[in-house]
Amino acid sequence: TGKPLSEHMLKQLIQLQEKLDESYGRRRQKLSIGLYSHKRINFPVHYTTTTPDAISFVPLEFTRKLTPAQILEQHPKGREYGWILEGFNRYPLLVDSNKEILSLPPIINSNLTGKVKPGDTEILFECTGTDDETVNLATNIFAQALYERGYALYSVMINHDSGKVITPRLFKDKIKITKNQVQQLLGLNLEEAEVKHF
């Protein structure tokens, strides 16, 4: 929750999303990030699967409904990233409690819930992936980016087979470092009081 999104800020967030998807996410194969308009979602959100032709929804920047199979053939993002789902007979799906489709991760969001617009003040961020550590780190990077832009952050609880997870997870690890190590790492010759201040 925060101030209304400006067009410039929205472009920054989308650029960060794409950079994380492409680099750290290995072209969305390891992780994929989605942004949604919070006000259009009925919680809780469910992560499930579907067959290629069982459902249809309007993908982002389209005006007509497509099945997942059609999205992979006809939507630009489907053609670009469809290889990730190749060989699977079920595809991932995010839906809300009213069965409204949020996205077909890691391919495309819905045009209804997954279209964030300038002026939105509440955004749902989600990150799906194949590696917990990768997903958690990307989530924390994005959370920090939102926090630095004046947004209040709220964690969510995720229930899955291996238990419950709260995310974003705040890293509170402590390390000990000496004044000499500070000088070696940063090249700064700080007084002890300055080291303690930081």
Side-chain angles (χ1 to χ4, degrees):
T1 305
K3 57 189 173 186
L5 267 179
S6 67
E7 190 147 345
H8 176 69
M9 191 183 306
L10 181 56
K11 284 179 182 175
Q12 285 182 326
L13 295 178
I14 291 170
Q15 186 178 52
L16 176 59
Q17 172 190 2
E18 289 174 353
K19 282 181 180 177
L20 286 169
D21 282 350
E22 288 297 306
S23 59
Y24 196 56
R26 303 291 186 258
R27 296 202 66 233
R28 299 190 186 185
Q29 189 173 20
K30 201 171 180 182
L31 75 82
S32 176
I33 293 170
L35 297 175
Y36 306 86
S37 173
H38 186 279
K39 67 184 174 189
R40 295 192 201 100
I41 298 170
N42 291 291
F43 291 87
V45 171
H46 304 276
Y47 185 81
T48 186
T49 62
T50 185
T51 58
D53 297 304
I55 53 94
S56 62
F57 67 98
V58 180
L60 201 57
E61 305 305 334
F62 267 49
T63 56
R64 60 188 168 86
K65 288 185 174 186
L66 298 175
T67 66
Q70 290 171 324
I71 288 171
L72 298 188
E73 293 171 2
Q74 299 175 28
H75 195 283
K77 294 295 182 189
R79 290 194 297 270
E80 185 176 356
Y81 297 106
W83 59 273
I84 299 169
L85 300 179
E86 200 172 285
F88 292 98
N89 59 9
R90 296 193 70 84
Y91 297 160
L93 200 66
L94 281 172
V95 297
D96 74 6
S97 62
N98 284 349
K99 306 289 185 209
E100 188 65 53
I101 295 168
L102 275 67
S103 67
L104 174 69
I107 310 299
I108 193 71
N109 284 5
S110 151
N111 201 53
L112 174 66
T113 56
K115 188 167 191 168
V116 179
K117 299 176 183 176
D120 283 347
T121 56
E122 295 181 0
I123 304 163
L124 171 68
F125 163 91
E126 62 83 8
C127 185
T128 56
T130 58
D131 178 72
D132 284 346
E133 187 177 336
T134 303
V135 169
N136 285 329
L137 184 57
T139 299
N140 278 288
I141 290 169
F142 213 97
Q144 186 63 36
L146 288 168
Y147 181 76
E148 287 176 0
R149 287 166 175 81
Y151 281 81
L153 303 179
Y154 297 91
S155 295
V156 297
M157 182 177 290
I158 300 171
N159 296 313
H160 54 83
D161 293 342
S162 58
K164 296 180 180 185
V165 175
I166 295 176
T167 185
R169 188 185 67 183
L170 300 176
F171 292 101
K172 296 181 180 176
D173 300 342
K174 292 182 180 180
I175 60 168
K176 290 186 178 186
I177 191 166
T178 67
K179 182 180 164 189
N180 288 340
Q181 289 170 318
V182 170
Q183 186 173 2
Q184 288 173 344
L185 290 168
L186 303 177
L188 299 174
N189 189 14
L190 301 173
E191 296 298 323
E192 195 161 320
E194 293 174 300
V195 173
K196 286 180 181 177
H197 175 71
F198 290 110

PDB file of all heavy atoms in Angstrom, residues 141-161:
ATOM      1  N   ILE A 141      14.176  -8.636  -2.910  1.00  0.00           N
ATOM      2  CA  ILE A 141      14.703  -7.540  -3.737  1.00  0.00           C
ATOM      3  C   ILE A 141      13.560  -6.636  -4.182  1.00  0.00           C
ATOM      4  O   ILE A 141      13.626  -5.410  -4.074  1.00  0.00           O
ATOM      5  CB  ILE A 141      15.479  -8.083  -4.951  1.00  0.00           C
ATOM      6  CG1 ILE A 141      16.798  -8.728  -4.506  1.00  0.00           C
ATOM      7  CG2 ILE A 141      15.730  -6.982  -5.981  1.00  0.00           C
ATOM      8  CD1 ILE A 141      17.496  -9.527  -5.591  1.00  0.00           C
ATOM      9  N   PHE A 142      12.488  -7.254  -4.652  1.00  0.00           N
ATOM     10  CA  PHE A 142      11.351  -6.464  -5.141  1.00  0.00           C
ATOM     11  C   PHE A 142      10.657  -5.738  -3.987  1.00  0.00           C
ATOM     12  O   PHE A 142      10.259  -4.575  -4.121  1.00  0.00           O
ATOM     13  CB  PHE A 142      10.363  -7.357  -5.893  1.00  0.00           C
ATOM     14  CG  PHE A 142       9.687  -6.651  -7.012  1.00  0.00           C
ATOM     15  CD1 PHE A 142      10.160  -6.765  -8.304  1.00  0.00           C
ATOM     16  CD2 PHE A 142       8.582  -5.843  -6.787  1.00  0.00           C
ATOM     17  CE1 PHE A 142       9.540  -6.092  -9.356  1.00  0.00           C
ATOM     18  CE2 PHE A 142       7.966  -5.174  -7.822  1.00  0.00           C
ATOM     19  CZ  PHE A 142       8.439  -5.300  -9.118  1.00  0.00           C
ATOM     20  N   ALA A 143      10.530  -6.413  -2.848  1.00  0.00           N
ATOM     21  CA  ALA A 143       9.911  -5.776  -1.686  1.00  0.00           C
ATOM     22  C   ALA A 143      10.702  -4.538  -1.271  1.00  0.00           C
ATOM     23  O   ALA A 143      10.134  -3.484  -0.960  1.00  0.00           O
ATOM     24  CB  ALA A 143       9.820  -6.772  -0.533  1.00  0.00           C
ATOM     25  N   GLN A 144      12.023  -4.650  -1.283  1.00  0.00           N
ATOM     26  CA  GLN A 144      12.874  -3.512  -0.926  1.00  0.00           C
ATOM     27  C   GLN A 144      12.691  -2.363  -1.921  1.00  0.00           C
ATOM     28  O   GLN A 144      12.645  -1.196  -1.532  1.00  0.00           O
ATOM     29  CB  GLN A 144      14.341  -3.932  -0.858  1.00  0.00           C
ATOM     30  CG  GLN A 144      15.271  -2.857  -0.352  1.00  0.00           C
ATOM     31  CD  GLN A 144      14.983  -2.433   1.072  1.00  0.00           C
ATOM     32  OE1 GLN A 144      14.604  -3.231   1.914  1.00  0.00           O
ATOM     33  NE2 GLN A 144      15.159  -1.145   1.366  1.00  0.00           N
ATOM     34  N   ALA A 145      12.563  -2.707  -3.203  1.00  0.00           N
ATOM     35  CA  ALA A 145      12.349  -1.669  -4.229  1.00  0.00           C
ATOM     36  C   ALA A 145      11.035  -0.936  -3.984  1.00  0.00           C
ATOM     37  O   ALA A 145      10.958   0.286  -4.130  1.00  0.00           O
ATOM     38  CB  ALA A 145      12.368  -2.296  -5.620  1.00  0.00           C
ATOM     39  N   LEU A 146       9.991  -1.660  -3.601  1.00  0.00           N
ATOM     40  CA  LEU A 146       8.708  -1.023  -3.301  1.00  0.00           C
ATOM     41  C   LEU A 146       8.808  -0.169  -2.037  1.00  0.00           C
ATOM     42  O   LEU A 146       8.303   0.957  -1.994  1.00  0.00           O
ATOM     43  CB  LEU A 146       7.615  -2.082  -3.130  1.00  0.00           C
ATOM     44  CG  LEU A 146       7.163  -2.780  -4.412  1.00  0.00           C
ATOM     45  CD1 LEU A 146       6.309  -3.997  -4.084  1.00  0.00           C
ATOM     46  CD2 LEU A 146       6.399  -1.822  -5.312  1.00  0.00           C
ATOM     47  N   TYR A 147       9.482  -0.698  -1.026  1.00  0.00           N
ATOM     48  CA  TYR A 147       9.654   0.030   0.236  1.00  0.00           C
ATOM     49  C   TYR A 147      10.387   1.349   0.014  1.00  0.00           C
ATOM     50  O   TYR A 147      10.000   2.390   0.539  1.00  0.00           O
ATOM     51  CB  TYR A 147      10.400  -0.859   1.239  1.00  0.00           C
ATOM     52  CG  TYR A 147      10.613  -0.211   2.579  1.00  0.00           C
ATOM     53  CD1 TYR A 147       9.563  -0.109   3.483  1.00  0.00           C
ATOM     54  CD2 TYR A 147      11.863   0.295   2.936  1.00  0.00           C
ATOM     55  CE1 TYR A 147       9.757   0.496   4.720  1.00  0.00           C
ATOM     56  CE2 TYR A 147      12.055   0.887   4.172  1.00  0.00           C
ATOM     57  CZ  TYR A 147      11.002   0.983   5.053  1.00  0.00           C
ATOM     58  OH  TYR A 147      11.185   1.580   6.272  1.00  0.00           O
ATOM     59  N   GLU A 148      11.448   1.312  -0.804  1.00  0.00           N
ATOM     60  CA  GLU A 148      12.223   2.525  -1.080  1.00  0.00           C
ATOM     61  C   GLU A 148      11.420   3.553  -1.869  1.00  0.00           C
ATOM     62  O   GLU A 148      11.761   4.727  -1.877  1.00  0.00           O
ATOM     63  CB  GLU A 148      13.496   2.165  -1.843  1.00  0.00           C
ATOM     64  CG  GLU A 148      14.529   1.484  -0.975  1.00  0.00           C
ATOM     65  CD  GLU A 148      15.764   1.042  -1.732  1.00  0.00           C
ATOM     66  OE1 GLU A 148      15.841   1.266  -2.962  1.00  0.00           O
ATOM     67  OE2 GLU A 148      16.663   0.467  -1.097  1.00  0.00           O
ATOM     68  N   ARG A 149      10.360   3.127  -2.522  1.00  0.00           N
ATOM     69  CA  ARG A 149       9.506   4.039  -3.280  1.00  0.00           C
ATOM     70  C   ARG A 149       8.296   4.497  -2.467  1.00  0.00           C
ATOM     71  O   ARG A 149       7.355   5.053  -3.006  1.00  0.00           O
ATOM     72  CB  ARG A 149       9.072   3.369  -4.584  1.00  0.00           C
ATOM     73  CG  ARG A 149      10.208   3.284  -5.594  1.00  0.00           C
ATOM     74  CD  ARG A 149       9.892   2.321  -6.733  1.00  0.00           C
ATOM     75  NE  ARG A 149      10.923   2.337  -7.750  1.00  0.00           N
ATOM     76  CZ  ARG A 149      12.075   1.670  -7.677  1.00  0.00           C
ATOM     77  NH1 ARG A 149      12.342   0.936  -6.617  1.00  0.00           N
ATOM     78  NH2 ARG A 149      12.957   1.742  -8.653  1.00  0.00           N
ATOM     79  N   GLY A 150       8.319   4.208  -1.162  1.00  0.00           N
ATOM     80  CA  GLY A 150       7.289   4.733  -0.275  1.00  0.00           C
ATOM     81  C   GLY A 150       6.117   3.813  -0.010  1.00  0.00           C
ATOM     82  O   GLY A 150       5.093   4.255   0.526  1.00  0.00           O
ATOM     83  N   TYR A 151       6.236   2.536  -0.353  1.00  0.00           N
ATOM     84  CA  TYR A 151       5.132   1.607  -0.133  1.00  0.00           C
ATOM     85  C   TYR A 151       5.269   0.884   1.194  1.00  0.00           C
ATOM     86  O   TYR A 151       6.372   0.540   1.612  1.00  0.00           O
ATOM     87  CB  TYR A 151       5.055   0.575  -1.267  1.00  0.00           C
ATOM     88  CG  TYR A 151       4.397   1.160  -2.488  1.00  0.00           C
ATOM     89  CD1 TYR A 151       5.132   1.955  -3.369  1.00  0.00           C
ATOM     90  CD2 TYR A 151       3.054   0.968  -2.735  1.00  0.00           C
ATOM     91  CE1 TYR A 151       4.537   2.530  -4.465  1.00  0.00           C
ATOM     92  CE2 TYR A 151       2.456   1.545  -3.829  1.00  0.00           C
ATOM     93  CZ  TYR A 151       3.197   2.328  -4.695  1.00  0.00           C
ATOM     94  OH  TYR A 151       2.601   2.908  -5.773  1.00  0.00           O
ATOM     95  N   ALA A 152       4.134   0.658   1.855  1.00  0.00           N
ATOM     96  CA  ALA A 152       4.098  -0.178   3.045  1.00  0.00           C
ATOM     97  C   ALA A 152       4.011  -1.624   2.576  1.00  0.00           C
ATOM     98  O   ALA A 152       3.293  -1.935   1.626  1.00  0.00           O
ATOM     99  CB  ALA A 152       2.880   0.171   3.903  1.00  0.00           C
ATOM    100  N   LEU A 153       4.752  -2.500   3.223  1.00  0.00           N
ATOM    101  CA  LEU A 153       4.793  -3.905   2.821  1.00  0.00           C
ATOM    102  C   LEU A 153       3.981  -4.756   3.786  1.00  0.00           C
ATOM    103  O   LEU A 153       4.009  -4.532   4.994  1.00  0.00           O
ATOM    104  CB  LEU A 153       6.238  -4.408   2.798  1.00  0.00           C
ATOM    105  CG  LEU A 153       7.218  -3.651   1.912  1.00  0.00           C
ATOM    106  CD1 LEU A 153       8.608  -4.262   2.033  1.00  0.00           C
ATOM    107  CD2 LEU A 153       6.771  -3.654   0.465  1.00  0.00           C
ATOM    108  N   TYR A 154       3.291  -5.733   3.231  1.00  0.00           N
ATOM    109  CA  TYR A 154       2.541  -6.693   4.027  1.00  0.00           C
ATOM    110  C   TYR A 154       2.921  -8.086   3.577  1.00  0.00           C
ATOM    111  O   TYR A 154       2.964  -8.377   2.385  1.00  0.00           O
ATOM    112  CB  TYR A 154       1.025  -6.483   3.860  1.00  0.00           C
ATOM    113  CG  TYR A 154       0.580  -5.125   4.349  1.00  0.00           C
ATOM    114  CD1 TYR A 154       0.528  -4.041   3.490  1.00  0.00           C
ATOM    115  CD2 TYR A 154       0.245  -4.934   5.688  1.00  0.00           C
ATOM    116  CE1 TYR A 154       0.138  -2.788   3.942  1.00  0.00           C
ATOM    117  CE2 TYR A 154      -0.141  -3.678   6.146  1.00  0.00           C
ATOM    118  CZ  TYR A 154      -0.193  -2.613   5.264  1.00  0.00           C
ATOM    119  OH  TYR A 154      -0.569  -1.382   5.718  1.00  0.00           O
ATOM    120  N   SER A 155       3.207  -8.944   4.539  1.00  0.00           N
ATOM    121  CA  SER A 155       3.554 -10.316   4.222  1.00  0.00           C
ATOM    122  C   SER A 155       2.290 -11.143   4.038  1.00  0.00           C
ATOM    123  O   SER A 155       1.220 -10.777   4.510  1.00  0.00           O
ATOM    124  CB  SER A 155       4.384 -10.928   5.352  1.00  0.00           C
ATOM    125  OG  SER A 155       5.619 -10.268   5.456  1.00  0.00           O
ATOM    126  N   VAL A 156       2.441 -12.258   3.354  1.00  0.00           N
ATOM    127  CA  VAL A 156       1.350 -13.207   3.190  1.00  0.00           C
ATOM    128  C   VAL A 156       1.812 -14.567   3.693  1.00  0.00           C
ATOM    129  O   VAL A 156       3.004 -14.862   3.721  1.00  0.00           O
ATOM    130  CB  VAL A 156       0.879 -13.323   1.721  1.00  0.00           C
ATOM    131  CG1 VAL A 156       0.316 -12.015   1.222  1.00  0.00           C
ATOM    132  CG2 VAL A 156       2.005 -13.807   0.816  1.00  0.00           C
ATOM    133  N   MET A 157       0.843 -15.388   4.081  1.00  0.00           N
ATOM    134  CA  MET A 157       1.155 -16.749   4.476  1.00  0.00           C
ATOM    135  C   MET A 157       0.797 -17.669   3.319  1.00  0.00           C
ATOM    136  O   MET A 157      -0.299 -17.588   2.768  1.00  0.00           O
ATOM    137  CB  MET A 157       0.379 -17.165   5.717  1.00  0.00           C
ATOM    138  CG  MET A 157       0.733 -18.576   6.181  1.00  0.00           C
ATOM    139  SD  MET A 157      -0.126 -19.043   7.685  1.00  0.00           S
ATOM    140  CE  MET A 157       0.698 -17.985   8.862  1.00  0.00           C
ATOM    141  N   ILE A 158       1.739 -18.526   2.966  1.00  0.00           N
ATOM    142  CA  ILE A 158       1.531 -19.485   1.891  1.00  0.00           C
ATOM    143  C   ILE A 158       1.435 -20.870   2.518  1.00  0.00           C
ATOM    144  O   ILE A 158       2.320 -21.285   3.260  1.00  0.00           O
ATOM    145  CB  ILE A 158       2.689 -19.443   0.879  1.00  0.00           C
ATOM    146  CG1 ILE A 158       2.795 -18.045   0.270  1.00  0.00           C
ATOM    147  CG2 ILE A 158       2.486 -20.496  -0.212  1.00  0.00           C
ATOM    148  CD1 ILE A 158       4.038 -17.842  -0.571  1.00  0.00           C
ATOM    149  N   ASN A 159       0.340 -21.565   2.227  1.00  0.00           N
ATOM    150  CA  ASN A 159       0.165 -22.939   2.692  1.00  0.00           C
ATOM    151  C   ASN A 159       0.513 -23.886   1.557  1.00  0.00           C
ATOM    152  O   ASN A 159      -0.032 -23.761   0.464  1.00  0.00           O
ATOM    153  CB  ASN A 159      -1.296 -23.187   3.096  1.00  0.00           C
ATOM    154  CG  ASN A 159      -1.704 -22.338   4.276  1.00  0.00           C
ATOM    155  OD1 ASN A 159      -0.991 -22.253   5.258  1.00  0.00           O
ATOM    156  ND2 ASN A 159      -2.848 -21.698   4.171  1.00  0.00           N
ATOM    157  N   HIS A 160       1.419 -24.807   1.813  1.00  0.00           N
ATOM    158  CA  HIS A 160       1.684 -25.847   0.828  1.00  0.00           C
ATOM    159  C   HIS A 160       2.032 -27.143   1.536  1.00  0.00           C
ATOM    160  O   HIS A 160       2.051 -27.201   2.764  1.00  0.00           O
ATOM    161  CB  HIS A 160       2.724 -25.437  -0.221  1.00  0.00           C
ATOM    162  CG  HIS A 160       4.022 -24.964   0.300  1.00  0.00           C
ATOM    163  ND1 HIS A 160       5.036 -25.810   0.683  1.00  0.00           N
ATOM    164  CD2 HIS A 160       4.488 -23.713   0.519  1.00  0.00           C
ATOM    165  CE1 HIS A 160       6.070 -25.097   1.084  1.00  0.00           C
ATOM    166  NE2 HIS A 160       5.771 -23.831   1.014  1.00  0.00           N
ATOM    167  N   ASP A 161       2.263 -28.194   0.762  1.00  0.00           N
ATOM    168  CA  ASP A 161       2.431 -29.539   1.319  1.00  0.00           C
ATOM    169  C   ASP A 161       3.466 -29.625   2.434  1.00  0.00           C
ATOM    170  O   ASP A 161       3.288 -30.361   3.395  1.00  0.00           O
ATOM    171  CB  ASP A 161       2.800 -30.535   0.211  1.00  0.00           C
ATOM    172  CG  ASP A 161       1.660 -30.725  -0.770  1.00  0.00           C
ATOM    173  OD1 ASP A 161       0.520 -30.377  -0.423  1.00  0.00           O
ATOM    174  OD2 ASP A 161       1.913 -31.216  -1.885  1.00  0.00           O
TER     175      ASP A 161
END
